[in-house]
PDB file of all heavy atoms in Angstrom:
ATOM      1  N   ARG L1209     126.700 167.196  67.577  1.00  0.00           N
ATOM      2  CA  ARG L1209     126.697 165.960  66.802  1.00  0.00           C
ATOM      3  C   ARG L1209     126.876 164.704  67.641  1.00  0.00           C
ATOM      4  O   ARG L1209     126.435 163.629  67.235  1.00  0.00           O
ATOM      5  CB  ARG L1209     127.791 165.995  65.731  1.00  0.00           C
ATOM      6  CG  ARG L1209     127.605 167.089  64.695  1.00  0.00           C
ATOM      7  CD  ARG L1209     128.681 167.010  63.621  1.00  0.00           C
ATOM      8  NE  ARG L1209     130.006 167.280  64.163  1.00  0.00           N
ATOM      9  CZ  ARG L1209     131.057 166.472  64.017  1.00  0.00           C
ATOM     10  NH1 ARG L1209     130.936 165.335  63.337  1.00  0.00           N
ATOM     11  NH2 ARG L1209     132.234 166.806  64.534  1.00  0.00           N
ATOM     12  N   PHE L1210     127.524 164.825  68.785  1.00  0.00           N
ATOM     13  CA  PHE L1210     127.836 163.664  69.608  1.00  0.00           C
ATOM     14  C   PHE L1210     127.018 163.693  70.888  1.00  0.00           C
ATOM     15  O   PHE L1210     126.644 164.760  71.387  1.00  0.00           O
ATOM     16  CB  PHE L1210     129.322 163.627  69.972  1.00  0.00           C
ATOM     17  CG  PHE L1210     130.262 163.506  68.801  1.00  0.00           C
ATOM     18  CD1 PHE L1210     131.634 163.530  69.013  1.00  0.00           C
ATOM     19  CD2 PHE L1210     129.799 163.362  67.510  1.00  0.00           C
ATOM     20  CE1 PHE L1210     132.516 163.418  67.954  1.00  0.00           C
ATOM     21  CE2 PHE L1210     130.670 163.255  66.436  1.00  0.00           C
ATOM     22  CZ  PHE L1210     132.035 163.282  66.668  1.00  0.00           C
ATOM     23  N   ILE L1211     126.763 162.510  71.427  1.00  0.00           N
ATOM     24  CA  ILE L1211     126.056 162.374  72.690  1.00  0.00           C
ATOM     25  C   ILE L1211     126.826 161.406  73.572  1.00  0.00           C
ATOM     26  O   ILE L1211     127.155 160.299  73.135  1.00  0.00           O
ATOM     27  CB  ILE L1211     124.618 161.866  72.489  1.00  0.00           C
ATOM     28  CG1 ILE L1211     123.820 162.825  71.612  1.00  0.00           C
ATOM     29  CG2 ILE L1211     123.923 161.695  73.847  1.00  0.00           C
ATOM     30  CD1 ILE L1211     122.450 162.303  71.236  1.00  0.00           C
ATOM     31  N   ILE L1212     127.109 161.826  74.795  1.00  0.00           N
ATOM     32  CA  ILE L1212     127.754 160.946  75.750  1.00  0.00           C
ATOM     33  C   ILE L1212     126.721 160.532  76.793  1.00  0.00           C
ATOM     34  O   ILE L1212     125.923 161.348  77.256  1.00  0.00           O
ATOM     35  CB  ILE L1212     128.987 161.590  76.401  1.00  0.00           C
ATOM     36  CG1 ILE L1212     129.778 160.552  77.203  1.00  0.00           C
ATOM     37  CG2 ILE L1212     128.620 162.786  77.254  1.00  0.00           C
ATOM     38  CD1 ILE L1212     131.167 161.013  77.588  1.00  0.00           C
ATOM     39  N   ILE L1213     126.740 159.254  77.148  1.00  0.00           N
ATOM     40  CA  ILE L1213     125.771 158.685  78.080  1.00  0.00           C
ATOM     41  C   ILE L1213     126.520 157.889  79.131  1.00  0.00           C
ATOM     42  O   ILE L1213     127.406 157.096  78.809  1.00  0.00           O
ATOM     43  CB  ILE L1213     124.750 157.790  77.357  1.00  0.00           C
ATOM     44  CG1 ILE L1213     124.003 158.578  76.280  1.00  0.00           C
ATOM     45  CG2 ILE L1213     123.759 157.194  78.358  1.00  0.00           C
ATOM     46  CD1 ILE L1213     123.136 157.715  75.394  1.00  0.00           C
ATOM     47  N   ARG L1214     126.161 158.083  80.373  1.00  0.00           N
ATOM     48  CA  ARG L1214     126.744 157.348  81.488  1.00  0.00           C
ATOM     49  C   ARG L1214     125.724 156.332  81.995  1.00  0.00           C
ATOM     50  O   ARG L1214     124.628 156.704  82.412  1.00  0.00           O
ATOM     51  CB  ARG L1214     127.150 158.309  82.602  1.00  0.00           C
ATOM     52  CG  ARG L1214     127.759 157.671  83.833  1.00  0.00           C
ATOM     53  CD  ARG L1214     129.164 157.170  83.580  1.00  0.00           C
ATOM     54  NE  ARG L1214     129.780 156.702  84.818  1.00  0.00           N
ATOM     55  CZ  ARG L1214     130.583 157.416  85.586  1.00  0.00           C
ATOM     56  NH1 ARG L1214     130.901 158.658  85.229  1.00  0.00           N
ATOM     57  NH2 ARG L1214     131.094 156.901  86.694  1.00  0.00           N
ATOM     58  N   GLU L1215     126.093 155.055  81.941  1.00  0.00           N
ATOM     59  CA  GLU L1215     125.281 153.987  82.488  1.00  0.00           C
ATOM     60  C   GLU L1215     125.892 153.568  83.814  1.00  0.00           C
ATOM     61  O   GLU L1215     127.040 153.122  83.860  1.00  0.00           O
ATOM     62  CB  GLU L1215     125.196 152.804  81.531  1.00  0.00           C
ATOM     63  CG  GLU L1215     124.489 153.123  80.226  1.00  0.00           C
ATOM     64  CD  GLU L1215     124.348 151.919  79.330  1.00  0.00           C
ATOM     65  OE1 GLU L1215     125.041 150.905  79.572  1.00  0.00           O
ATOM     66  OE2 GLU L1215     123.540 151.971  78.387  1.00  0.00           O
ATOM     67  N   HIS L1216     125.131 153.701  84.885  1.00  0.00           N
ATOM     68  CA  HIS L1216     125.686 153.573  86.230  1.00  0.00           C
ATOM     69  C   HIS L1216     125.850 152.140  86.706  1.00  0.00           C
ATOM     70  O   HIS L1216     126.626 151.889  87.621  1.00  0.00           O
ATOM     71  CB  HIS L1216     124.829 154.362  87.215  1.00  0.00           C
ATOM     72  CG  HIS L1216     124.804 155.825  86.946  1.00  0.00           C
ATOM     73  ND1 HIS L1216     125.869 156.649  87.260  1.00  0.00           N
ATOM     74  CD2 HIS L1216     123.863 156.617  86.383  1.00  0.00           C
ATOM     75  CE1 HIS L1216     125.582 157.887  86.906  1.00  0.00           C
ATOM     76  NE2 HIS L1216     124.366 157.895  86.369  1.00  0.00           N
ATOM     77  N   GLY L1217     125.142 151.193  86.117  1.00  0.00           N
ATOM     78  CA  GLY L1217     125.235 149.812  86.569  1.00  0.00           C
ATOM     79  C   GLY L1217     126.649 149.266  86.502  1.00  0.00           C
ATOM     80  O   GLY L1217     127.200 148.797  87.500  1.00  0.00           O
ATOM     81  N   GLU L1218     127.258 149.330  85.325  1.00  0.00           N
ATOM     82  CA  GLU L1218     128.626 148.882  85.132  1.00  0.00           C
ATOM     83  C   GLU L1218     129.559 150.047  84.847  1.00  0.00           C
ATOM     84  O   GLU L1218     130.695 149.835  84.432  1.00  0.00           O
ATOM     85  CB  GLU L1218     128.691 147.863  83.995  1.00  0.00           C
ATOM     86  CG  GLU L1218     127.914 146.583  84.266  1.00  0.00           C
ATOM     87  CD  GLU L1218     128.513 145.784  85.398  1.00  0.00           C
ATOM     88  OE1 GLU L1218     129.739 145.856  85.602  1.00  0.00           O
ATOM     89  OE2 GLU L1218     127.755 145.087  86.092  1.00  0.00           O
ATOM     90  N   ASN L1219     129.061 151.260  85.062  1.00  0.00           N
ATOM     91  CA  ASN L1219     129.819 152.479  84.800  1.00  0.00           C
ATOM     92  C   ASN L1219     130.275 152.577  83.351  1.00  0.00           C
ATOM     93  O   ASN L1219     131.334 153.132  83.063  1.00  0.00           O
ATOM     94  CB  ASN L1219     131.004 152.594  85.755  1.00  0.00           C
ATOM     95  CG  ASN L1219     130.574 152.964  87.158  1.00  0.00           C
ATOM     96  OD1 ASN L1219     130.117 154.082  87.396  1.00  0.00           O
ATOM     97  ND2 ASN L1219     130.708 152.030  88.085  1.00  0.00           N
ATOM     98  N   THR L1220     129.468 152.054  82.467  1.00  0.00           N
ATOM     99  CA  THR L1220     129.756 152.157  81.048  1.00  0.00           C
ATOM    100  C   THR L1220     129.510 153.578  80.556  1.00  0.00           C
ATOM    101  O   THR L1220     128.525 154.218  80.937  1.00  0.00           O
ATOM    102  CB  THR L1220     128.882 151.177  80.255  1.00  0.00           C
ATOM    103  OG1 THR L1220     129.214 149.835  80.630  1.00  0.00           O
ATOM    104  CG2 THR L1220     129.088 151.336  78.754  1.00  0.00           C
ATOM    105  N   VAL L1221     130.399 154.055  79.712  1.00  0.00           N
ATOM    106  CA  VAL L1221     130.219 155.352  79.076  1.00  0.00           C
ATOM    107  C   VAL L1221     130.094 155.124  77.577  1.00  0.00           C
ATOM    108  O   VAL L1221     130.912 154.426  76.975  1.00  0.00           O
ATOM    109  CB  VAL L1221     131.360 156.329  79.423  1.00  0.00           C
ATOM    110  CG1 VAL L1221     132.707 155.826  78.935  1.00  0.00           C
ATOM    111  CG2 VAL L1221     131.062 157.710  78.851  1.00  0.00           C
ATOM    112  N   ILE L1222     129.053 155.681  76.998  1.00  0.00           N
ATOM    113  CA  ILE L1222     128.730 155.499  75.590  1.00  0.00           C
ATOM    114  C   ILE L1222     128.883 156.830  74.876  1.00  0.00           C
ATOM    115  O   ILE L1222     128.423 157.860  75.364  1.00  0.00           O
ATOM    116  CB  ILE L1222     127.304 154.965  75.411  1.00  0.00           C
ATOM    117  CG1 ILE L1222     127.139 153.626  76.130  1.00  0.00           C
ATOM    118  CG2 ILE L1222     126.947 154.840  73.936  1.00  0.00           C
ATOM    119  CD1 ILE L1222     125.708 153.146  76.189  1.00  0.00           C
ATOM    120  N   LEU L1223     129.522 156.805  73.733  1.00  0.00           N
ATOM    121  CA  LEU L1223     129.651 157.985  72.894  1.00  0.00           C
ATOM    122  C   LEU L1223     128.971 157.708  71.565  1.00  0.00           C
ATOM    123  O   LEU L1223     129.469 156.913  70.767  1.00  0.00           O
ATOM    124  CB  LEU L1223     131.119 158.355  72.673  1.00  0.00           C
ATOM    125  CG  LEU L1223     131.363 159.630  71.855  1.00  0.00           C
ATOM    126  CD1 LEU L1223     130.893 160.856  72.632  1.00  0.00           C
ATOM    127  CD2 LEU L1223     132.838 159.761  71.478  1.00  0.00           C
ATOM    128  N   GLN L1224     127.834 158.344  71.341  1.00  0.00           N
ATOM    129  CA  GLN L1224     127.121 158.254  70.082  1.00  0.00           C
ATOM    130  C   GLN L1224     127.593 159.390  69.187  1.00  0.00           C
ATOM    131  O   GLN L1224     127.418 160.556  69.517  1.00  0.00           O
ATOM    132  CB  GLN L1224     125.613 158.332  70.301  1.00  0.00           C
ATOM    133  CG  GLN L1224     125.043 157.192  71.133  1.00  0.00           C
ATOM    134  CD  GLN L1224     123.555 157.327  71.357  1.00  0.00           C
ATOM    135  OE1 GLN L1224     122.941 158.341  71.040  1.00  0.00           O
ATOM    136  NE2 GLN L1224     122.951 156.279  71.907  1.00  0.00           N
ATOM    137  N   MET L1225     128.193 159.036  68.062  1.00  0.00           N
ATOM    138  CA  MET L1225     128.733 160.016  67.137  1.00  0.00           C
ATOM    139  C   MET L1225     127.895 160.010  65.868  1.00  0.00           C
ATOM    140  O   MET L1225     127.781 158.984  65.198  1.00  0.00           O
ATOM    141  CB  MET L1225     130.199 159.708  66.823  1.00  0.00           C
ATOM    142  CG  MET L1225     131.089 159.675  68.056  1.00  0.00           C
ATOM    143  SD  MET L1225     132.847 159.488  67.648  1.00  0.00           S
ATOM    144  CE  MET L1225     132.835 157.811  67.004  1.00  0.00           C
ATOM    145  N   ASN L1226     127.320 161.158  65.551  1.00  0.00           N
ATOM    146  CA  ASN L1226     126.460 161.311  64.390  1.00  0.00           C
ATOM    147  C   ASN L1226     127.048 162.330  63.422  1.00  0.00           C
ATOM    148  O   ASN L1226     127.836 163.190  63.805  1.00  0.00           O
ATOM    149  CB  ASN L1226     125.063 161.749  64.821  1.00  0.00           C
ATOM    150  CG  ASN L1226     124.427 160.810  65.813  1.00  0.00           C
ATOM    151  OD1 ASN L1226     124.309 159.611  65.558  1.00  0.00           O
ATOM    152  ND2 ASN L1226     124.004 161.344  66.961  1.00  0.00           N
ATOM    153  N   ASN L1227     126.617 162.229  62.168  1.00  0.00           N
ATOM    154  CA  ASN L1227     127.075 163.143  61.125  1.00  0.00           C
ATOM    155  C   ASN L1227     128.595 163.265  61.127  1.00  0.00           C
ATOM    156  O   ASN L1227     129.160 164.368  61.154  1.00  0.00           O
ATOM    157  CB  ASN L1227     126.424 164.515  61.292  1.00  0.00           C
ATOM    158  CG  ASN L1227     126.638 165.416  60.100  1.00  0.00           C
ATOM    159  OD1 ASN L1227     126.881 164.954  58.989  1.00  0.00           O
ATOM    160  ND2 ASN L1227     126.557 166.730  60.328  1.00  0.00           N
ATOM    161  N   LEU L1228     129.250 162.135  61.085  1.00  0.00           N
ATOM    162  CA  LEU L1228     130.703 162.116  61.154  1.00  0.00           C
ATOM    163  C   LEU L1228     131.324 162.753  59.917  1.00  0.00           C
ATOM    164  O   LEU L1228     130.819 162.617  58.802  1.00  0.00           O
ATOM    165  CB  LEU L1228     131.203 160.687  61.325  1.00  0.00           C
ATOM    166  CG  LEU L1228     131.021 160.124  62.740  1.00  0.00           C
ATOM    167  CD1 LEU L1228     131.130 158.607  62.738  1.00  0.00           C
ATOM    168  CD2 LEU L1228     132.047 160.738  63.683  1.00  0.00           C
ATOM    169  N   LYS L1229     132.428 163.441  60.142  1.00  0.00           N
ATOM    170  CA  LYS L1229     133.156 164.130  59.097  1.00  0.00           C
ATOM    171  C   LYS L1229     134.558 163.559  58.989  1.00  0.00           C
ATOM    172  O   LYS L1229     135.064 162.958  59.941  1.00  0.00           O
ATOM    173  CB  LYS L1229     133.220 165.630  59.404  1.00  0.00           C
ATOM    174  CG  LYS L1229     131.862 166.278  59.606  1.00  0.00           C
ATOM    175  CD  LYS L1229     132.002 167.730  60.031  1.00  0.00           C
ATOM    176  CE  LYS L1229     130.639 168.365  60.249  1.00  0.00           C
ATOM    177  NZ  LYS L1229     130.772 169.784  60.681  1.00  0.00           N
ATOM    178  N   PRO L1230     135.208 163.739  57.833  1.00  0.00           N
ATOM    179  CA  PRO L1230     136.576 163.222  57.695  1.00  0.00           C
ATOM    180  C   PRO L1230     137.516 163.720  58.789  1.00  0.00           C
ATOM    181  O   PRO L1230     138.402 162.971  59.214  1.00  0.00           O
ATOM    182  CB  PRO L1230     137.002 163.734  56.313  1.00  0.00           C
ATOM    183  CG  PRO L1230     135.724 163.826  55.549  1.00  0.00           C
ATOM    184  CD  PRO L1230     134.699 164.277  56.557  1.00  0.00           C
ATOM    185  N   GLU L1231     137.321 164.939  59.256  1.00  0.00           N
ATOM    186  CA  GLU L1231     138.179 165.468  60.303  1.00  0.00           C
ATOM    187  C   GLU L1231     137.945 164.813  61.658  1.00  0.00           C
ATOM    188  O   GLU L1231     138.707 165.051  62.597  1.00  0.00           O
ATOM    189  CB  GLU L1231     138.011 166.986  60.424  1.00  0.00           C
ATOM    190  CG  GLU L1231     136.565 167.439  60.568  1.00  0.00           C
ATOM    191  CD  GLU L1231     135.957 167.872  59.247  1.00  0.00           C
ATOM    192  OE1 GLU L1231     136.224 167.197  58.230  1.00  0.00           O
ATOM    193  OE2 GLU L1231     135.229 168.880  59.229  1.00  0.00           O
ATOM    194  N   ASP L1232     136.900 164.000  61.782  1.00  0.00           N
ATOM    195  CA  ASP L1232     136.670 163.244  63.007  1.00  0.00           C
ATOM    196  C   ASP L1232     137.518 161.985  63.076  1.00  0.00           C
ATOM    197  O   ASP L1232     137.553 161.336  64.129  1.00  0.00           O
ATOM    198  CB  ASP L1232     135.194 162.860  63.140  1.00  0.00           C
ATOM    199  CG  ASP L1232     134.293 164.059  63.338  1.00  0.00           C
ATOM    200  OD1 ASP L1232     134.667 164.967  64.106  1.00  0.00           O
ATOM    201  OD2 ASP L1232     133.207 164.079  62.734  1.00  0.00           O
ATOM    202  N   ALA L1233     138.156 161.614  61.989  1.00  0.00           N
ATOM    203  CA  ALA L1233     138.971 160.409  61.971  1.00  0.00           C
ATOM    204  C   ALA L1233     140.118 160.544  62.963  1.00  0.00           C
ATOM    205  O   ALA L1233     140.862 161.531  62.947  1.00  0.00           O
ATOM    206  CB  ALA L1233     139.506 160.141  60.573  1.00  0.00           C
ATOM    207  N   ALA L1234     140.256 159.572  63.831  1.00  0.00           N
ATOM    208  CA  ALA L1234     141.268 159.607  64.872  1.00  0.00           C
ATOM    209  C   ALA L1234     141.213 158.304  65.654  1.00  0.00           C
ATOM    210  O   ALA L1234     140.310 157.489  65.467  1.00  0.00           O
ATOM    211  CB  ALA L1234     141.041 160.793  65.821  1.00  0.00           C
ATOM    212  N   VAL L1235     142.180 158.128  66.532  1.00  0.00           N
ATOM    213  CA  VAL L1235     142.096 157.082  67.532  1.00  0.00           C
ATOM    214  C   VAL L1235     141.378 157.661  68.736  1.00  0.00           C
ATOM    215  O   VAL L1235     141.780 158.700  69.268  1.00  0.00           O
ATOM    216  CB  VAL L1235     143.480 156.545  67.935  1.00  0.00           C
ATOM    217  CG1 VAL L1235     143.345 155.497  69.032  1.00  0.00           C
ATOM    218  CG2 VAL L1235     144.187 155.948  66.723  1.00  0.00           C
ATOM    219  N   TYR L1236     140.316 157.020  69.151  1.00  0.00           N
ATOM    220  CA  TYR L1236     139.520 157.491  70.272  1.00  0.00           C
ATOM    221  C   TYR L1236     139.883 156.683  71.515  1.00  0.00           C
ATOM    222  O   TYR L1236     139.872 155.452  71.495  1.00  0.00           O
ATOM    223  CB  TYR L1236     138.028 157.363  69.964  1.00  0.00           C
ATOM    224  CG  TYR L1236     137.527 158.433  69.024  1.00  0.00           C
ATOM    225  CD1 TYR L1236     137.915 158.451  67.686  1.00  0.00           C
ATOM    226  CD2 TYR L1236     136.674 159.438  69.472  1.00  0.00           C
ATOM    227  CE1 TYR L1236     137.480 159.440  66.828  1.00  0.00           C
ATOM    228  CE2 TYR L1236     136.231 160.425  68.619  1.00  0.00           C
ATOM    229  CZ  TYR L1236     136.627 160.434  67.302  1.00  0.00           C
ATOM    230  OH  TYR L1236     136.182 161.418  66.452  1.00  0.00           O
ATOM    231  N   PHE L1237     140.185 157.399  72.593  1.00  0.00           N
ATOM    232  CA  PHE L1237     140.628 156.791  73.838  1.00  0.00           C
ATOM    233  C   PHE L1237     139.600 157.019  74.934  1.00  0.00           C
ATOM    234  O   PHE L1237     139.175 158.152  75.162  1.00  0.00           O
ATOM    235  CB  PHE L1237     141.967 157.379  74.296  1.00  0.00           C
ATOM    236  CG  PHE L1237     143.114 157.097  73.369  1.00  0.00           C
ATOM    237  CD1 PHE L1237     143.430 157.965  72.346  1.00  0.00           C
ATOM    238  CD2 PHE L1237     143.884 155.958  73.536  1.00  0.00           C
ATOM    239  CE1 PHE L1237     144.489 157.723  71.493  1.00  0.00           C
ATOM    240  CE2 PHE L1237     144.953 155.697  72.690  1.00  0.00           C
ATOM    241  CZ  PHE L1237     145.251 156.580  71.666  1.00  0.00           C
ATOM    242  N   CYS L1238     139.240 155.958  75.602  1.00  0.00           N
ATOM    243  CA  CYS L1238     138.396 156.080  76.779  1.00  0.00           C
ATOM    244  C   CYS L1238     139.229 156.538  77.959  1.00  0.00           C
ATOM    245  O   CYS L1238     140.367 156.101  78.133  1.00  0.00           O
ATOM    246  CB  CYS L1238     137.726 154.744  77.092  1.00  0.00           C
ATOM    247  SG  CYS L1238     136.638 154.776  78.546  1.00  0.00           S
ATOM    248  N   PHE L1239     138.661 157.416  78.772  1.00  0.00           N
ATOM    249  CA  PHE L1239     139.305 157.918  79.982  1.00  0.00           C
ATOM    250  C   PHE L1239     138.427 157.610  81.187  1.00  0.00           C
ATOM    251  O   PHE L1239     137.208 157.744  81.119  1.00  0.00           O
ATOM    252  CB  PHE L1239     139.533 159.427  79.877  1.00  0.00           C
ATOM    253  CG  PHE L1239     139.839 160.071  81.201  1.00  0.00           C
ATOM    254  CD1 PHE L1239     141.118 160.050  81.726  1.00  0.00           C
ATOM    255  CD2 PHE L1239     138.837 160.694  81.925  1.00  0.00           C
ATOM    256  CE1 PHE L1239     141.405 160.643  82.946  1.00  0.00           C
ATOM    257  CE2 PHE L1239     139.101 161.295  83.147  1.00  0.00           C
ATOM    258  CZ  PHE L1239     140.395 161.260  83.654  1.00  0.00           C
ATOM    259  N   GLY L1240     139.065 157.224  82.276  1.00  0.00           N
ATOM    260  CA  GLY L1240     138.332 157.000  83.504  1.00  0.00           C
ATOM    261  C   GLY L1240     139.165 157.351  84.718  1.00  0.00           C
ATOM    262  O   GLY L1240     140.364 157.064  84.773  1.00  0.00           O
ATOM    263  N   SER L1241     138.526 157.989  85.689  1.00  0.00           N
ATOM    264  CA  SER L1241     139.139 158.273  86.979  1.00  0.00           C
ATOM    265  C   SER L1241     138.616 157.228  87.960  1.00  0.00           C
ATOM    266  O   SER L1241     137.435 157.240  88.307  1.00  0.00           O
ATOM    267  CB  SER L1241     138.788 159.688  87.434  1.00  0.00           C
ATOM    268  OG  SER L1241     139.390 159.986  88.680  1.00  0.00           O
ATOM    269  N   LEU L1242     139.486 156.313  88.375  1.00  0.00           N
ATOM    270  CA  LEU L1242     139.061 155.131  89.114  1.00  0.00           C
ATOM    271  C   LEU L1242     139.724 155.052  90.481  1.00  0.00           C
ATOM    272  O   LEU L1242     140.902 155.352  90.631  1.00  0.00           O
ATOM    273  CB  LEU L1242     139.395 153.856  88.334  1.00  0.00           C
ATOM    274  CG  LEU L1242     138.979 153.801  86.864  1.00  0.00           C
ATOM    275  CD1 LEU L1242     139.405 152.472  86.250  1.00  0.00           C
ATOM    276  CD2 LEU L1242     137.479 153.989  86.717  1.00  0.00           C
ATOM    277  N   TRP L1243     138.931 154.621  91.474  1.00  0.00           N
ATOM    278  CA  TRP L1243     139.459 154.247  92.781  1.00  0.00           C
ATOM    279  C   TRP L1243     139.640 152.739  92.798  1.00  0.00           C
ATOM    280  O   TRP L1243     138.687 151.982  92.574  1.00  0.00           O
ATOM    281  CB  TRP L1243     138.499 154.651  93.895  1.00  0.00           C
ATOM    282  CG  TRP L1243     138.531 156.086  94.315  1.00  0.00           C
ATOM    283  CD1 TRP L1243     139.217 156.607  95.369  1.00  0.00           C
ATOM    284  CD2 TRP L1243     137.811 157.170  93.727  1.00  0.00           C
ATOM    285  NE1 TRP L1243     138.981 157.960  95.466  1.00  0.00           N
ATOM    286  CE2 TRP L1243     138.119 158.335  94.475  1.00  0.00           C
ATOM    287  CE3 TRP L1243     136.937 157.277  92.644  1.00  0.00           C
ATOM    288  CZ2 TRP L1243     137.588 159.587  94.167  1.00  0.00           C
ATOM    289  CZ3 TRP L1243     136.415 158.523  92.330  1.00  0.00           C
ATOM    290  CH2 TRP L1243     136.744 159.649  93.093  1.00  0.00           C
ATOM    291  N   VAL L1244     140.838 152.271  93.101  1.00  0.00           N
ATOM    292  CA  VAL L1244     141.087 150.844  93.229  1.00  0.00           C
ATOM    293  C   VAL L1244     141.146 150.418  94.685  1.00  0.00           C
ATOM    294  O   VAL L1244     141.235 149.227  94.977  1.00  0.00           O
ATOM    295  CB  VAL L1244     142.376 150.433  92.503  1.00  0.00           C
ATOM    296  CG1 VAL L1244     142.235 150.686  91.015  1.00  0.00           C
ATOM    297  CG2 VAL L1244     143.574 151.187  93.060  1.00  0.00           C
ATOM    298  N   HIS L1245     141.081 151.373  95.607  1.00  0.00           N
ATOM    299  CA  HIS L1245     141.020 151.117  97.036  1.00  0.00           C
ATOM    300  C   HIS L1245     139.919 151.960  97.642  1.00  0.00           C
ATOM    301  O   HIS L1245     139.509 152.971  97.069  1.00  0.00           O
ATOM    302  CB  HIS L1245     142.358 151.414  97.726  1.00  0.00           C
ATOM    303  CG  HIS L1245     143.503 150.639  97.186  1.00  0.00           C
ATOM    304  ND1 HIS L1245     143.662 149.291  97.410  1.00  0.00           N
ATOM    305  CD2 HIS L1245     144.554 151.024  96.414  1.00  0.00           C
ATOM    306  CE1 HIS L1245     144.764 148.875  96.804  1.00  0.00           C
ATOM    307  NE2 HIS L1245     145.311 149.907  96.203  1.00  0.00           N
ATOM    308  N   GLU L1246     139.472 151.547  98.840  1.00  0.00           N
ATOM    309  CA  GLU L1246     138.380 152.248  99.497  1.00  0.00           C
ATOM    310  C   GLU L1246     138.762 153.685  99.824  1.00  0.00           C
ATOM    311  O   GLU L1246     137.933 154.596  99.742  1.00  0.00           O
ATOM    312  CB  GLU L1246     137.969 151.506 100.769  1.00  0.00           C
ATOM    313  CG  GLU L1246     136.816 152.162 101.516  1.00  0.00           C
ATOM    314  CD  GLU L1246     136.421 151.394 102.754  1.00  0.00           C
ATOM    315  OE1 GLU L1246     137.012 150.320 103.000  1.00  0.00           O
ATOM    316  OE2 GLU L1246     135.517 151.846 103.483  1.00  0.00           O
TER     317      GLU L1246
END
């Protein structure tokens, strides 16, 4: 039902959620593993 897409320009991550159900109700948190130094 869901599709995740990675856009490399700005490192945007998109989550397309289709056919949503009541049990999908929640707080959705983005996660990222980031380097802040070289």
Side-chain angles (χ1 to χ4, degrees):
R1209 297 183 295 126
F1210 298 177
I1211 300 173
I1212 190 166
I1213 302 171
R1214 179 73 173 264
E1215 295 183 345
H1216 297 284
E1218 297 294 330
N1219 286 291
T1220 296
V1221 62
I1222 301 171
L1223 183 67
Q1224 297 178 351
M1225 302 186 292
N1226 304 305
N1227 191 23
L1228 284 163
K1229 304 175 181 179
E1231 52 263 41
D1232 294 318
V1235 177
Y1236 284 69
F1237 296 91
C1238 180
F1239 164 82
S1241 181
L1242 311 179
W1243 280 263
V1244 297
H1245 302 288
E1246 181 179 357

